[in-house]
Amino acid sequence: MSKKVLVSGGAGYIGSHVTVELIAAGYEVVVADNLSNCDLTCFEGVKKITGRDDIPFYQIDCCDYASVDKVFTEHKIDAVIHFAAFKAVGESVAEPIMYYRNNLVSFLNILEVAKNHGGCNVLFSSSATVYGEAEVLPVTEQTPRLPATSPYGNTKQMCEDILRDVVAATAASEGVVKGIALRYFNPIGAHPSALIGELPRGVPNNLVPFITQTAIGKRECLSIFGNDYPTADGTGVRDYIHVVDLAIGHLHALKKVCSGTGLNIYNLGTGNGYSVLEVLRAFEKACGHPIKFEIAPRRPGDIATCFSDPSKAKAE
Ligand code: UD1
């Protein structure tokens, strides 16, 4: 079992939920985050939930090799869960250099430092975006990846490939890197304590934080991006997975990566697709009041439908 886990991007949305579950399962956790898309609210929440005031925290940018090296010098890291990346699709189209530099350099640094410190297990946060608009649904891990439609999506594909090559190249060497790529579908929700959740800076890009902010009056009105898709009600269909379920998936992956060889890939989704309108209606029912919405044009780059076949993760 991996004992000490570095969570890069551990102050962010998914990283904070994973940190909580790791600590609950008895792992030692080191958090690294440059706080570029969050403040310390979630990390403070993690400390409250776990009752642990001593979680090592490094405010570093993983694009800085020396900073990553310092973490590995000060801690014997057995596994890294790498979340630290930019994730806004539209922004990546406008700022491709920034996205390629950030998402690739930080991951290369993690891998190189890990290798130079004797190797470790690496879980990479990939995304269902690698499947694009798949011809056959649900998508399995064998579904071909389609050419990415955004620099963001491209960085996910490239990092998967980099990890595969590094795992293969180090298999027989000193610094063995073992790896798993987890393809997330749409993570939503928050820890039941409500001490941590999705707190993006600025205007949310994703559906559920936009709904929650509209529900509390912080936003005027939800724009539904298109109601003319070939789906039952015309709005986009996605596979929404609760963030705590997703976090627990990482615990299982950590055990798996330790016993496996080669790069292993898992879909982390529920296998169920729901439309934007269904999600909105469910949220209205749960919070007990209507949420204002309008139908807006389609968002460039969006697809009609995507949901997972999660049976590999379930079986293994
Ligand atoms: C996108 C990316 C995904 C990335 C994720 C996290 C693609 C195809 N998808 O997921 O790779 O991991 O963001 O950043 O690149 N919607 C609205 N109004 C809103 C927001 C969203 O109607 O204000 C709709 C969208 O059109 C879509 C659904 O809600 O049908 C979900 O959108 P979103 O939460 O942004 O996730 P994805 O686009 O699926």
Side-chain angles (χ1 to χ4, degrees):
M1 173 172 155
S2 297
K3 289 179 223 81
K4 196 175 261 196
V5 181
L6 169 63
V7 182
S8 73
Y13 174 44
I14 306 175
S16 59
H17 288 82
V18 168
T19 299
V20 166
E21 298 305 324
L22 287 171
I23 290 172
Y27 289 93
E28 283 182 69
V29 180
V30 177
V31 171
D33 205 301
N34 67 356
L35 305 181
S36 67
N37 191 36
C38 60
D39 56 24
L40 280 172
T41 311
C42 273
F43 188 63
E44 293 303 324
V46 168
K47 291 202 258 182
K48 278 200 193 114
I49 295 166
T50 58
R52 290 275 304 272
D53 209 23
D54 58 348
I55 306 164
F57 178 81
Y58 290 81
Q59 188 176 342
I60 57 161
D61 190 332
C62 293
C63 290
D64 181 45
Y65 185 94
S67 298
V68 180
D69 192 66
K70 184 169 186 280
V71 177
F72 275 75
T73 303
E74 294 180 0
H75 300 273
K76 169 79 191 82
I77 301 294
D78 300 296
V80 182
I81 308 182
H82 182 64
F83 296 103
F86 293 152
K87 62 164 192 172
V89 176
E91 185 183 50
S92 80
V93 175
E95 299 284 352
I97 297 171
M98 183 174 102
Y99 266 68
Y100 285 116
R101 185 188 302 284
N102 186 68
N103 291 6
L104 299 181
V105 173
S106 62
F107 193 45
L108 288 168
N109 282 345
I110 291 277
L111 293 172
E112 190 169 7
V113 171
K115 177 176 175 286
N116 290 343
H117 283 261
C120 75
N121 298 315
V122 175
L123 302 190
F124 173 65
S125 297
S126 190
S127 165
T129 196
V130 302
Y131 298 116
E133 181 116 63
E135 270 175 35
V136 181
L137 290 164
V139 290
T140 74
E141 292 80 358
Q142 273 72 50
T143 299
R145 297 185 320 187
L146 290 178
T149 53
S150 71
Y152 160 78
N154 227 347
T155 65
K156 291 296 175 195
Q157 297 203 2
M158 291 163 116
C159 285
E160 285 191 353
D161 294 343
I162 290 167
L163 184 57
R164 175 179 289 108
D165 290 345
V166 171
V167 168
T170 62
S173 71
E174 291 277 294
V176 178
V177 174
K178 291 187 177 184
I180 287 187
L182 298 171
R183 292 177 177 163
Y184 307 151
F185 284 71
N186 291 57
I188 57 164
H191 190 266
S193 68
L195 289 167
I196 55 175
E198 193 169 11
L199 302 167
R201 283 195 202 273
V203 182
N205 289 299
N206 299 112
L207 177 64
V208 171
F210 207 104
I211 291 179
T212 56
Q213 293 192 10
T214 310
I216 61 167
K218 197 170 166 188
R219 309 265 159 219
E220 182 68 19
C221 173
L222 170 75
S223 296
I224 294 185
F225 299 138
N227 66 348
D228 56 353
Y229 284 105
T231 61
D233 63 24
T235 65
V237 169
R238 298 289 185 277
D239 180 340
Y240 296 92
I241 176 169
H242 196 279
V243 67
V244 175
D245 292 334
L246 188 79
I248 291 167
H250 290 72
L251 298 192
H252 293 292
L254 267 186
K255 289 182 203 142
K256 193 78 195 170
V257 78
C258 299
S259 59
T261 54
L263 176 68
N264 218 337
I265 294 175
Y266 295 95
N267 284 342
L268 290 185
T270 67
N272 302 309
Y274 293 98
S275 74
V276 176
L277 273 172
E278 284 176 314
V279 172
L280 179 69
R281 297 303 180 209
F283 199 95
E284 287 179 329
K285 199 171 157 205
C287 76
H289 66 83
I291 290 163
K292 206 173 153 197
F293 73 92
E294 60 175 12
I295 303 298
R298 290 184 179 193
R299 184 172 64 176
D302 269 357
I303 56 174
T305 305
C306 183
F307 58 96
S308 69
D309 176 344
S311 53
K312 183 183 174 200
K314 194 174 179 195
E316 294 189 24

